[in-house]
Amino acid sequence: LALATFRATDGFAALEAVELPGSAYVAEVTESAPRAWFRLGDAQGATVRDTVAAIPGTVVNADLGQPGLVSRDSDTAVTFTSTGGVSVTDSRALLSGTLAEFTFEAIIQTTAAATQVLLQQDGSDSAQLRLRMLGTGILEFQVTGAGSAFTAETESSGVVNDGSAHHVLATYSSTNGLRLFVDGVDVSSVVLVGAGSPVMVPKSLTLGNDKALVVNGWTGVLDEVAVYDRELTAAEIAAHAGEFTTPWDGDLPGARLERVLDLAGWPAALRSIDTGTSTLQPATLGVSALEHAQKVADSDFGALFITAGGSVRFIGRAGLYNRPALATFAHD
């Protein structure tokens, strides 16, 4: 004979217990599962740490605590100079071995017109991954495998040194080669791809400079640097780029509620969500899943409740009065 004890709770109480991320951008990047993610929102000091495994980076000549570049997010950023940067030597953040695919991502802001390194991973035997801005303001992404057996390069078709914040992303796969994206748009203009796949022997990853930390440093703001050991999908790239400026802008109520329930880990089988008719503005998060969901329902003048079977039910305002007939009566 065994005794099992189950604790029943109200569905709204469960949603109230879930705190949504501070921004939609954070939610999107978290879902994409980066290998390392340096948000660069650390307090002033000699070390910054990534949010995945607390991987440390040593700070040189950088001004932390600057206004962040992600809309509706309180996390701060870093301003570098030409002789500054962050050096990361922990192998957990480094790409190594034969690389079938990978992605680098960052948010930047600068008006400088000089060659500047955004990030660079240097290994032994001439192995190198480097993303930099040239003096003309265009981006350049270069990959050289160990022993120079693989060499590839791509450049962007537009400039990024216009003083605006830009979401920058560089990807590689054996299928698509090297590609550069700015604000979610593929801007690759020159592609040179070697045979086979690059091989990396990890040594160090430098943010905002090359490994020497002497010249070619990023002069401007750097924020949200992430490393992935896979190629992000087109949908992920578009989502990351969109959420850093206007998070979830233009959602219909049903789509917004689905996002919130996804973040809350709510089972898909326990949802019954109308599409709704209102066009929602960019999201402000950092509140409970229940609070945001109720605001969405109120914005559509709809109804949000938990059914007897435990499903989250949303009825849009049109659905409240546009209901199927239950009976038909003749004149007599």
Side-chain angles (χ1 to χ4, degrees), residues 98-100 143 145 149-152 172-175 177-178 193-199:
T98 302
L99 304 178
V143 179
F150 176 96
T151 300
Y172 167 77
S173 73
S174 55
T175 301
L178 266 64
V193 179
S197 298
V199 179

Side-chain angles (χ1 to χ4, degrees), residues 10 48 62 74 103 105 122 124 134 165 191 226 264 296 305 318:
D10 176 73
V48 296
S74 60
T103 299
E105 176 178 24
D122 259 303
S124 58
L134 302 181
V191 181
V296 171
F305 55 93

Side-chain angles (χ1 to χ4, degrees), residues 60-126:
V60 177
N61 293 337
D63 193 7
L64 283 76
Q66 302 304 298
L69 300 180
V70 177
S71 175
R72 299 172 181 247
D73 183 20
S74 60
D75 192 74
T76 58
V78 177
T79 298
F80 290 115
T81 65
S82 61
T83 57
V86 175
S87 178
V88 182
T89 57
D90 193 309
S91 62
R92 292 174 295 175
L94 306 179
L95 300 174
S96 62
T98 302
L99 304 178
E101 52 187 63
F102 58 84
T103 299
F104 287 120
E105 176 178 24
I107 300 177
I108 63 171
Q109 186 176 45
T110 187
T111 56
T115 298
Q116 304 178 54
V117 177
L118 271 167
L119 59 87
Q120 179 170 315
Q121 180 178 318
D122 259 303
S124 58
D125 300 324
S126 302

Side-chain angles (χ1 to χ4, degrees), residues 156-216:
S156 70
S157 59
V159 302
V160 294
N161 61 341
D162 55 4
S164 298
H166 292 287
H167 179 267
V168 172
L169 190 141
T171 68
Y172 167 77
S173 73
S174 55
T175 301
N176 296 314
L178 266 64
R179 294 186 295 167
L180 277 169
F181 295 81
V182 175
D183 299 330
V185 179
D186 187 344
V187 294
S188 308
S189 64
V190 180
V191 181
L192 302 173
V193 179
S197 298
V199 179
M200 287 300 299
V201 183
K203 185 176 182 181
S204 66
L205 173 68
T206 309
L207 314 181
N209 213 320
D210 59 25
K211 64 179 180 180
L213 291 176
V214 176
V215 295
N216 297 328

Side-chain angles (χ1 to χ4, degrees), residues 21 23-34 37 51 228 240 263:
S23 74
Y25 181 81
V26 173
E28 294 291 349
V29 175
T30 299
E31 188 174 344
S32 295
W37 181 15
T51 63
Y228 304 82
H240 291 198
L263 291 174

